[in-house]
Amino acid sequence: MASEAQANMLSLLPPDLAGLAFDLSTVAGSKEYCFPLAAAPAVLKSLLTNGVTPLGGDLWDFKDGEYYPSGENWYAEAVEGEPGEFREARVEATAGRFFARYATAGDKRVTFVVRSNLAAS
Protein backbone atom coordinates (compact mmCIF):
# COMPACT_ATOMS: atom_id res chain seq x y z
CA MET A 1 0.00 0.00 0.00
CA ALA A 2 1.29 3.47 -0.86
CA SER A 3 2.23 5.74 2.03
CA GLU A 4 -0.25 8.04 3.72
CA ALA A 5 1.46 11.09 2.18
CA GLN A 6 1.09 9.51 -1.27
CA ALA A 7 -2.58 8.67 -0.65
CA ASN A 8 -3.20 12.26 0.45
CA MET A 9 -1.42 13.52 -2.66
CA LEU A 10 -3.54 11.29 -4.87
CA SER A 11 -6.74 12.58 -3.26
CA LEU A 12 -5.88 16.12 -4.39
CA LEU A 13 -5.72 15.19 -8.07
CA PRO A 14 -8.68 15.36 -10.43
CA PRO A 15 -10.16 11.94 -11.21
CA ASP A 16 -8.67 11.75 -14.71
CA LEU A 17 -5.12 12.16 -13.34
CA ALA A 18 -5.69 10.07 -10.21
CA GLY A 19 -6.95 7.29 -12.46
CA LEU A 20 -3.54 7.13 -14.15
CA ALA A 21 -1.73 6.42 -10.88
CA PHE A 22 -0.21 3.01 -10.26
CA ASP A 23 0.64 1.85 -6.74
CA LEU A 24 4.26 0.68 -6.96
CA SER A 25 4.05 -1.04 -3.56
CA THR A 26 2.11 -3.87 -5.21
CA VAL A 27 4.99 -4.82 -7.54
CA ALA A 28 8.17 -2.98 -6.61
CA GLY A 29 8.04 -2.42 -2.86
CA SER A 30 8.11 1.37 -3.25
CA LYS A 31 5.32 3.02 -1.24
CA GLU A 32 4.65 5.54 -4.00
CA TYR A 33 2.30 6.10 -6.88
CA CYS A 34 3.77 6.48 -10.33
CA PHE A 35 2.27 8.22 -13.33
CA PRO A 36 2.98 7.97 -17.06
CA LEU A 37 5.67 10.49 -17.97
CA ALA A 38 3.31 12.14 -20.47
CA ALA A 39 0.93 12.97 -17.58
CA ALA A 40 3.65 14.20 -15.21
CA PRO A 41 3.42 17.91 -16.15
CA ALA A 42 -0.34 17.89 -15.53
CA VAL A 43 0.11 16.06 -12.21
CA LEU A 44 2.73 18.58 -11.13
CA LYS A 45 0.55 21.53 -12.15
CA SER A 46 -2.41 20.07 -10.25
CA LEU A 47 -0.32 19.55 -7.13
CA LEU A 48 1.01 23.11 -7.28
CA THR A 49 -2.51 24.45 -7.80
CA ASN A 50 -3.56 22.57 -4.65
CA GLY A 51 -0.72 24.06 -2.60
CA VAL A 52 1.59 21.01 -2.71
CA THR A 53 5.13 21.64 -3.89
CA PRO A 54 6.87 18.30 -4.49
CA LEU A 55 10.42 17.91 -3.22
CA GLY A 56 11.41 15.88 -6.28
CA GLY A 57 10.66 12.63 -7.99
CA ASP A 58 12.01 9.42 -9.48
CA LEU A 59 11.92 7.97 -12.96
CA TRP A 60 10.80 4.38 -13.51
CA ASP A 61 11.00 2.19 -16.60
CA PHE A 62 7.95 0.18 -17.59
CA LYS A 63 8.99 -2.82 -19.70
CA ASP A 64 7.10 -5.99 -20.50
CA GLY A 65 4.47 -5.17 -17.88
CA GLU A 66 7.01 -4.66 -15.09
CA TYR A 67 8.34 -1.59 -13.27
CA TYR A 68 12.06 -0.94 -12.76
CA PRO A 69 13.74 2.05 -11.07
CA SER A 70 15.84 3.84 -13.68
CA GLY A 71 18.18 5.45 -11.15
CA GLU A 72 17.30 8.90 -12.51
CA ASN A 73 15.59 11.56 -10.40
CA TRP A 74 15.04 15.26 -9.94
CA TYR A 75 14.90 17.33 -6.80
CA ALA A 76 14.59 20.96 -5.80
CA GLU A 77 16.20 21.81 -2.50
CA ALA A 78 14.40 24.26 -0.27
CA VAL A 79 15.94 27.72 -0.09
CA GLU A 80 15.54 29.33 3.31
CA GLY A 81 13.38 32.44 3.16
CA GLU A 82 12.34 31.85 -0.45
CA PRO A 83 8.77 33.00 -1.15
CA GLY A 84 6.42 30.15 -2.00
CA GLU A 85 5.66 31.38 -5.49
CA PHE A 86 9.40 31.49 -6.34
CA ARG A 87 9.88 27.95 -5.04
CA GLU A 88 6.89 26.74 -7.04
CA ALA A 89 8.27 28.32 -10.22
CA ARG A 90 11.70 26.83 -9.57
CA VAL A 91 10.25 23.36 -8.90
CA GLU A 92 8.09 23.57 -12.02
CA ALA A 93 11.09 24.57 -14.17
CA THR A 94 13.36 21.88 -12.68
CA ALA A 95 10.75 19.14 -13.10
CA GLY A 96 9.83 20.39 -16.57
CA ARG A 97 13.43 20.07 -17.76
CA PHE A 98 13.61 16.57 -16.27
CA PHE A 99 10.33 15.47 -17.91
CA ALA A 100 11.44 16.89 -21.29
CA ARG A 101 14.82 15.13 -21.09
CA TYR A 102 13.12 11.72 -20.99
CA ALA A 103 10.03 12.45 -23.10
CA THR A 104 11.21 10.25 -25.98
CA ALA A 105 13.09 7.64 -23.94
CA GLY A 106 10.51 4.85 -24.06
CA ASP A 107 7.75 3.99 -21.63
CA LYS A 108 8.71 5.91 -18.48
CA ARG A 109 6.80 6.54 -15.27
CA VAL A 110 7.35 9.25 -12.67
CA THR A 111 6.85 9.43 -8.92
CA PHE A 112 6.51 12.60 -6.85
CA VAL A 113 8.12 12.94 -3.43
CA VAL A 114 5.88 14.91 -1.09
CA ARG A 115 6.09 15.73 2.59
CA SER A 116 4.24 13.62 5.10
CA ASN A 117 2.25 16.67 6.19
CA LEU A 118 0.96 18.03 2.89
CA ALA A 119 -0.40 21.10 4.63
CA ALA A 120 3.21 22.06 5.40
CA SER A 121 4.22 21.93 1.74
Side-chain angles (χ1 to χ4, degrees):
M1 167 187 267
S3 72
E4 182 179 349
Q6 290 283 304
N8 290 337
M9 175 193 74
L10 193 63
S11 74
L12 296 172
L13 299 177
D16 60 324
L17 291 177
L20 297 174
F22 181 80
D23 185 350
L24 287 170
S25 69
T26 63
V27 295
S30 176
K31 294 185 176 192
E32 298 175 290
Y33 288 106
C34 69
F35 299 86
L37 181 58
V43 171
L44 178 62
K45 188 69 168 173
S46 183
L47 291 173
L48 292 171
T49 298
N50 282 292
V52 176
T53 305
L55 305 172
D58 297 308
L59 189 69
W60 287 73
D61 293 312
F62 185 64
K63 293 181 185 173
D64 301 322
E66 295 194 35
Y67 293 84
Y68 304 93
S70 74
E72 300 294 329
N73 58 55
W74 67 273
Y75 65 93
E77 292 185 25
V79 175
E80 191 171 331
E82 180 179 41
E85 62 271 9
F86 289 179
R87 181 167 193 277
E88 288 177 13
R90 188 168 49 78
V91 166
E92 192 166 21
T94 300
R97 287 189 299 273
F98 181 80
F99 301 155
R101 183 179 321 131
Y102 295 100
T104 60
D107 196 356
K108 304 288 186 185
R109 308 298 163 107
V110 178
T111 62
F112 292 87
V113 177
V114 294
R115 293 181 181 169
S116 295
N117 178 0
L118 290 178
S121 294

